[in-house]
Amino acid sequence: MNMKYRTIAAVTCVGALTALAACTTDGAAADKALEVWMPTTFAAATADEEAATWRSILAPFEEEHGVEVNVTLVPWASYEEKYLTGVSSGQGPDVGYMYTEMMGDYVSNGALAPFDDHLSEETTSKMLYLDQGKVDGSQYAMPFVVGGIRLLWGNMDLLASAGIDEVPTTWDEFLDDARTLHEAGITPLYQEWGAPNRGMLNATYFPLLWQAGGEILNEEGTATAFNSDAGLAAAEFLKTLLDEDLMPADVSGLTPEEVQSAFYEGETAFFFGSDGTWADLEQTEMNVEFVPGLVGKQAGTFVASDALVMFESCADKQLCADLVAFLLGGDQMAEFHQQIVAYPPVATDEQSEPTKFTETYAESAESLHSLPIAAGGAGVYNALYENLQQMVLGQKSPQQALADAAEAGDAALAQAR
Amino acid sequence: MRTGAGAGASEPVVKDDAAFAVRPRQRRRRPGKRAGQYVGVPFVLPSLVILMVVVIIPIVMSLYFSMTQYSVLGSPTWVGTDNYTKLLNDDAFAAALGNTVVYTLISVPLQTVIALLLADVLARRFRNRFGAIVRSTLFIPVMSSLVVVGVVWRTILGTNDGAVNVFLEAFGLERVNFLGDPTLAIWVVGLVTVWKNIGYFLVIYYAGMMDVPAELYEASGLDGAGRFGQLWHVTIPSLRPVTLLVVILGTIWSFQVFDLVYVMTGGGPGGATTTIVMMIFRAGFQNFQMGYASAMAAVLFALILIIAVVQRKVLKSNED
């Protein structure tokens, strides 16, 4: 072989080896990295603190599996858009955090993978809220943050000044107390009907619906179910509060921040808020008590059931499922609850100190509801919020508001199927 | 070659003949094939490619998606004009279109007139440091994020804790439900838009006024025109092209309003401030109906185009 051919052969070999090495390196790197998307700052921690906590929590998993786990913190404000654009463009996560309203459309479009074949009996047997993550019998979501229970908070000093010594527990008691407060010149209740997003229904309407024995959707998640006697009773309860001035007419402009602030400042005797409010209330040294919602036909209130999901795009499903099982492990969840958000355990293996609400969660377990997972669910909630706002404004009767919301909601559900 | 008669005109004839002899060759060279005619192509090519990628292709794709049922997560399914038919019968879309028109009718005339008057005062009375400070101050909202503007105004106009209502209550007046009253809310959002945009249009008008010859004002002053007369007979006619720009830009922006409404009212109360773009956002990003959202976007595009062309025609015909 002359010099010219030897040079060409050498260059070709070097080129081929370089290309092979490059492919191998890239491939290995891709196989050994997992993308996880989480919302930023659940509670009081800053994003930097939160990122550091995730690195600390995930370090043992990375070491054990020889994998790099990248956590991206997504702001709440653009959560749904970020997921939709990321997942649809192939730049989404392998494992992500989702709330129930989001999941249905991802499940129906085949973007999420079920956990059923990837989690051990040991992992699933200790989970407390597995049923909340099932869709059509498959485990598409692993409840990760179960908390934010909606409670009725009462300002005991204001109640006492009207001769009331405890927070009411039933619809009738609440109406009686509210009338008594009104006669005493005290505003009984503020609600955030001017909130820019539909999430306020979790405190204002859905608990009443469940308490009246109703449901938001049918069991299959294919049609709305709130346009019922129970739904009407819940809407009429709200209308009564407005008609009798037990709630000011300008609640249509109030935001959640304004409502909380009004309660802190003693402008209203009651408000429906979450257990997360306690962190602020504790600072005010107010004399407050709470009950886990009211009892109508039955007890019932909202609890968030946000979950970890695994995407179809995850190349190694078992590895992704192992990561989820690891995150849900007792030690990891204990650190998560201690460092990031103080919500109750989601599994039996977490050693945690009892909080002010531990007993409430335990006693109310049967009556806690989260929103159903259904494709097109967001359209239902948007329609319901808009129509109930119109009822609050006096533009529609409760019957008309529910009928119009059901029509729009059913159309959204049908479109999504 | 012509010879003989008309000898006195022989010179021009010769020239004509010479020109005649050359013409056939010039005619054979079509203008599009002149040497060096593609020299500029490499210079405009990057812009053309960028224009294609970020404007033309997205518009064409959006029009295609508007003819499909498309959840973004799955593949689009061709449905022809179904989305447009659905739009025609969608009361919510009609309501959002109505809200958008009302919002535009509130914001565009106000911001145009106020910007013009302010620019006139600053250009003719305060061409000094004070005027510069005022212009800069009014430009601050223009540079601010719409989300920040929305949050700030939401705080100022809050029903319970808002600074304005606290002020009103301090004087024993009833508080006003600025964002919770369906009639007021659209006005409030429109007026905040005026506040946000005024600095931008003021600067455009101010620049236009710099080009109005001072002699026109002097002449009209000699004719007895007062300040208002000069504004009406000199400034406004001289600034018609600027007004055309301001009105068309303002209208396009108003039809595209989203951030401010999203932050201040979320489209409420009861849908009173839901605009077309807000509906597009909900359909596309919350309800996973990107095909339907694209159809709404196409209709919005057509509406803006028609309005811009009509405005241009009307304002140009006034000018003529």
Side-chain angles (χ1 to χ4, degrees):
Chain A
M1 195 183 287
N2 66 25
M3 192 64 185
K4 182 182 172 188
Y5 289 116
R6 263 185 285 178
T7 307
I8 291 171
V11 169
T12 307
C13 284
V14 169
L17 286 170
T18 308
L20 189 63
C23 288
T24 310
T25 308
D26 283 347
D31 289 344
K32 293 291 182 184
L34 291 179
E35 293 294 326
V36 177
W37 284 10
M38 292 281 185
T40 186
T41 56
F42 282 92
T46 66
D48 284 346
E49 287 171 5
E50 207 162 309
T53 302
W54 286 123
R55 280 195 296 276
S56 154
I57 288 174
L58 289 163
F61 182 84
E62 291 179 310
E63 196 174 327
E64 185 187 341
H65 290 81
V67 64
E68 186 184 329
V69 182
N70 302 313
V71 177
T72 300
L73 296 176
V74 182
W76 281 120
S78 56
Y79 208 69
E80 292 174 25
E81 301 97 282
K82 170 87 175 173
Y83 260 86
L84 187 59
T85 50
V87 174
S88 63
S89 63
Q91 303 296 314
D94 295 297
V95 167
Y97 175 103
M98 279 191 171
Y99 37 92
T100 48
E101 303 100 289
M102 283 179 73
M103 290 172 205
D105 291 286
Y106 286 86
V107 171
S108 73
N109 281 286
L112 298 186
F115 287 99
D116 302 285
D117 300 333
H118 302 288
L119 291 181
S120 66
E121 173 67 21
E122 186 193 347
T123 301
T124 54
S125 63
K126 65 186 181 186
M127 306 306 302
L128 294 171
Y129 306 102
L130 270 190
D131 283 350
Q132 309 273 20
K134 282 193 173 157
V135 181
D136 297 334
S138 292
Q139 194 72 49
Y140 276 98
M142 297 296 288
F144 178 67
V145 166
V146 176
I149 184 175
R150 296 307 191 266
L151 311 160
L152 171 64
W153 290 95
N155 180 331
M156 299 314 292
D157 291 336
L158 281 183
L159 293 179
S161 67
I164 302 164
D165 55 8
E166 57 185 14
V167 182
T169 57
T170 66
W171 285 22
D172 289 340
E173 284 176 17
F174 182 83
L175 283 176
D176 288 345
D177 287 353
R179 286 170 184 139
T180 305
L181 286 161
H182 182 56
E183 281 168 19
I186 298 166
T187 305
L189 178 70
Y190 270 25
Q191 287 192 329
E192 60 263 34
W193 286 96
N197 67 68
R198 62 184 190 253
M200 60 81 74
L201 292 176
N202 297 339
T204 54
Y205 181 73
F206 292 143
L208 293 174
L209 175 67
W210 291 314
Q211 288 155 20
E215 289 294 339
I216 302 170
L217 305 179
N218 65 8
E219 271 189 35
E220 298 77 28
T222 54
T224 59
F226 54 75
N227 188 18
S228 60
D229 289 345
L232 188 60
E236 283 179 339
F237 183 81
L238 289 172
K239 193 74 169 54
T240 303
L241 295 173
L242 284 161
D243 290 347
E244 295 189 21
D245 292 332
L246 305 177
M247 188 160 64
D250 61 9
V251 290
S252 60
L254 295 179
T255 61
E257 296 77 22
E258 283 182 299
V259 170
Q260 285 187 30
S261 162
F263 184 74
Y264 298 156
E265 288 163 19
E267 291 176 31
T268 175
F270 297 117
F271 97 105
F272 292 97
S274 81
D275 53 346
T277 311
W278 177 242
D280 294 329
L281 280 171
E282 211 174 5
Q283 309 296 321
T284 64
E285 296 180 356
M286 286 173 68
N287 180 16
V288 293
E289 294 289 342
F290 68 87
V291 292
L294 295 170
V295 178
K297 204 171 179 179
Q298 60 191 41
T301 194
F302 171 85
V303 68
S305 178
D306 300 351
L308 293 177
V309 294
M310 174 168 69
F311 286 84
E312 272 296 345
S313 56
C314 172
D316 187 341
K317 301 280 191 303
Q318 189 56 53
L319 185 63
C320 283
D322 288 346
L323 173 63
V324 171
F326 173 81
L327 282 168
L328 290 167
D331 292 343
Q332 289 71 247
M333 290 306 288
E335 193 173 346
F336 170 63
H337 288 141
Q338 193 176 358
Q339 301 290 336
I340 297 180
V341 61
Y343 278 148
V346 292
T348 53
D349 64 340
E350 180 184 339
Q351 302 297 315
S352 61
E353 292 294 317
T355 68
K356 185 177 178 66
F357 305 99
T358 303
E359 213 172 290
T360 307
Y361 276 98
E363 287 173 357
S364 311
E366 293 297 314
S367 59
L368 298 184
H369 300 256
S370 53
L371 301 186
I373 301 174
V380 175
Y381 307 131
N382 282 334
L384 188 56
Y385 184 36
E386 185 173 314
N387 279 282
L388 286 176
Q389 269 185 324
Q390 289 169 353
M391 180 195 79
V392 167
L393 290 164
Q395 296 172 338
K396 283 182 181 171
S397 66
Q399 291 92 336
Q400 190 62 50
L402 292 179
D404 290 350
E407 187 183 349
D410 286 334
L413 292 170
Q415 174 82 26
R417 285 202 303 276
Chain B
M1 187 178 285
R2 286 193 318 187
T3 55
S10 63
E11 193 61 26
V13 168
V14 170
K15 277 185 180 173
D16 280 352
D17 282 354
F20 184 76
V22 171
R23 264 184 211 135
R25 261 191 314 212
Q26 284 178 330
R27 279 180 182 163
R28 278 200 300 274
R29 290 185 88 183
R30 283 162 42 191
K33 291 190 175 176
R34 279 200 304 272
Q37 65 179 316
Y38 296 119
V39 166
V41 171
F43 295 98
V44 296
L45 199 58
S47 301
L48 277 177
V49 170
I50 292 170
L51 198 68
M52 282 293 288
V53 171
V54 303
V55 179
I56 308 296
I57 292 175
I59 288 175
V60 172
M61 284 179 71
S62 178
L63 286 173
Y64 165 68
F65 288 139
S66 74
M67 303 277 192
T68 66
Q69 188 172 334
Y70 182 37
S71 71
V72 186
L73 295 172
S75 302
T77 310
W78 183 261
V79 293
T81 55
D82 283 5
N83 286 327
Y84 292 95
T85 310
K86 186 179 161 191
L87 260 185
L88 285 175
N89 301 307
D90 190 342
D91 292 341
F93 181 75
L97 178 60
N99 291 338
T100 309
V101 170
V102 170
Y103 167 82
T104 304
L105 290 176
I106 291 169
S107 58
V108 174
L110 276 176
Q111 70 197 13
T112 304
V113 171
I114 295 172
L116 173 68
L117 294 177
L118 277 173
D120 183 58
V121 171
L122 292 176
R124 300 187 57 204
R125 279 277 177 90
F126 300 104
R127 283 197 195 187
N128 50 22
R129 189 171 289 176
F130 173 74
I133 291 170
V134 172
R135 287 202 313 274
S136 305
T137 307
L138 289 172
F139 205 75
I140 290 172
V142 178
M143 296 185 294
S144 307
S145 147
L146 270 169
V147 175
V148 173
V149 167
V151 170
V152 168
W153 275 102
R154 163 121 231 165
T155 310
I156 292 172
L157 299 171
T159 304
N160 200 45
D161 291 343
V164 175
N165 274 323
V166 169
F167 182 80
L168 290 175
E169 281 187 322
F171 284 91
L173 299 168
E174 287 281 309
R175 65 188 190 196
V176 180
N177 197 4
F178 290 107
L179 298 170
D181 181 297
T183 312
L184 266 183
I186 193 84
W187 272 93
V188 169
V189 177
L191 292 175
V192 171
T193 305
V194 171
W195 174 85
K196 162 106 173 97
N197 290 347
I198 208 90
Y200 184 80
F201 295 127
L202 163 69
V203 167
I204 293 178
Y205 267 125
Y206 189 85
M209 283 173 188
M210 294 296 103
D211 289 337
V212 179
E215 295 81 21
L216 290 177
Y217 290 110
E218 287 165 12
S220 62
L222 290 172
D223 289 342
R227 281 194 55 75
F228 182 75
Q230 288 180 331
L231 175 71
W232 189 254
H233 294 292
V234 178
T235 309
I236 292 176
S238 304
L239 294 178
R240 276 204 178 119
V242 179
T243 303
L244 179 73
L245 175 74
V246 167
V247 170
I248 290 178
L249 264 185
T251 305
I252 291 172
W253 290 356
S254 294
F255 266 77
Q256 293 175 331
V257 65
F258 172 71
D259 314 48
L260 198 65
V261 177
Y262 184 71
V263 173
M264 289 188 75
T265 62
T273 58
T274 300
T275 59
I276 297 178
V277 178
M278 181 148 250
M279 273 202 79
I280 292 172
F281 169 78
R282 278 190 192 153
F285 288 98
Q286 293 186 339
N287 301 352
F288 292 72
Q289 298 173 354
M290 202 55 86
Y292 193 50
S294 299
M296 284 192 266
V299 170
L300 178 64
F301 177 77
L303 278 174
I304 290 175
L305 196 66
I306 291 166
I307 289 168
V309 168
V310 169
Q311 281 180 336
R312 190 177 156 77
K313 289 265 182 205
V314 170
L315 289 167
K316 286 288 274 182
S317 66
N318 285 345
E319 190 179 354
D320 295 340

